[in-house]
Amino acid sequence: EELSLRPGRGLLGADAVFPALHGPFGEDGTVQGLLELLDVPYVGSGVLAAAACMDKVVFKELMAQDGRLPQVGYHLVDEPGGRPDGVGYPCWVKPSRLGSSVGIARVDDAAGLGPAIDAAMRHDSRVIVEESASGLEIECAVLGHTITPEVSEPGEIVLVKGAGWYDYEAKYTPGGMELIVPARISPAARERVRELAAIAFRVAGCSGLARADFFVDGDDVLLNELNTMPGF
């Protein structure tokens, strides 16, 4: 049913909203801004944190500015036909402001880079080209608020046989992946993951909940991204 919304007048008499939405117009700050205008409390991060974490390039630049959060190398492409210099292979081409692995391609050589960027640009005018990272894909939950976040035990993503990488099908097809908790990483890596998750949560200004994603190779830990309304 179509609703008539008036600033400051609430939403259907709701005491609070749990914006369990993915992607653009869900976890990118737009719905959060609407709820702010309606004067309705809601679960999770506010407008700025949601928007910053949704844009992979903005998020990485914010984390880099802090200086404590190691990440993979990356390039921004924001014009049609743009091609970054100094790219190593394999690499990953992604729309900067989408989730759920939509529009992502693994590129194994220079010949595949241009077509992958062009394909990603059909989803988003901002495209990120990331270096490939070795090791395990590790994630953990962060709950609470900016000053005192609580970080969960890290979990490890294990793909079923035959899956090439953690793509949309692996994420959403029943049996496409398995989550092993606790992750099979060293105690030092475990504590490093939890430390970096809390730092990233605070630096981004998140609140309520988030999922922090990492690449872990031995004791080396690289931050990948924060999801402010994750599927866990």
Side-chain angles (χ1 to χ4, degrees):
E1 259 183 71
E2 197 171 287
L3 298 177
S4 177
L5 305 177
R6 298 178 63 189
R9 295 299 182 90
L11 178 67
L12 298 174
D15 296 314
V17 167
F18 197 121
L21 301 165
H22 276 317
F25 307 109
E27 57 183 325
D28 61 355
T30 50
V31 165
Q32 290 77 8
L34 175 64
L35 294 171
E36 296 273 2
L37 291 172
L38 296 175
D39 196 25
V40 179
Y42 56 91
V43 174
S45 292
V47 176
L48 181 59
C53 290
M54 188 69 185
D55 189 316
K56 294 177 176 62
V57 174
V58 169
F59 174 76
K60 287 184 182 297
E61 292 183 350
L62 182 61
M63 298 299 108
Q65 183 69 27
D66 180 81
R68 294 175 291 174
L69 296 140
Q71 308 175 91
V72 299
Y74 63 94
H75 305 267
L76 168 66
V77 180
D78 59 359
E79 58 183 2
R83 303 291 184 263
D85 296 323
V87 176
Y89 299 94
C91 65
W92 299 89
V93 175
K94 307 176 181 180
S96 188
R97 296 168 291 190
L98 283 181
S100 299
S101 298
V102 174
I104 294 179
R106 174 185 161 118
V107 178
D108 292 311
D109 53 46
L113 182 61
I117 291 174
D118 293 341
M121 279 208 159
R122 289 197 283 271
H123 295 279
D124 191 346
S125 60
R126 288 165 60 84
V127 170
I128 184 171
V129 179
E130 294 180 346
E131 294 179 6
S132 190
S134 59
L136 304 174
E137 292 198 50
I138 303 295
E139 57 186 31
C140 60
V142 188
L143 301 174
H145 300 285
T146 304
I147 299 174
T148 55
E150 297 182 41
V151 184
S152 76
E153 181 73 37
E156 175 187 345
I157 296 168
V158 179
L159 301 179
V160 297
K161 282 187 177 181
W165 53 281
Y166 196 32
D167 60 6
Y168 185 94
E169 285 70 26
K171 289 180 177 179
Y172 294 109
T173 301
M177 56 81 70
E178 181 183 359
L179 188 61
I180 296 177
V181 182
R184 297 172 295 183
I185 56 178
S186 70
R190 173 187 178 277
E191 290 309 311
R192 182 67 169 153
V193 163
R194 298 181 76 233
E195 174 193 14
L196 294 179
I199 293 172
F201 189 86
R202 288 195 296 265
V203 170
C206 294
S207 181
L209 73 163
R211 192 193 72 236
D213 298 347
F214 298 89
F215 301 112
V216 177
D217 189 356
D219 289 341
D220 293 328
V221 178
L222 296 176
L223 174 65
N224 184 22
E225 62 184 19
L226 273 183
N227 290 272
T228 56
M229 190 52 69
F232 285 116

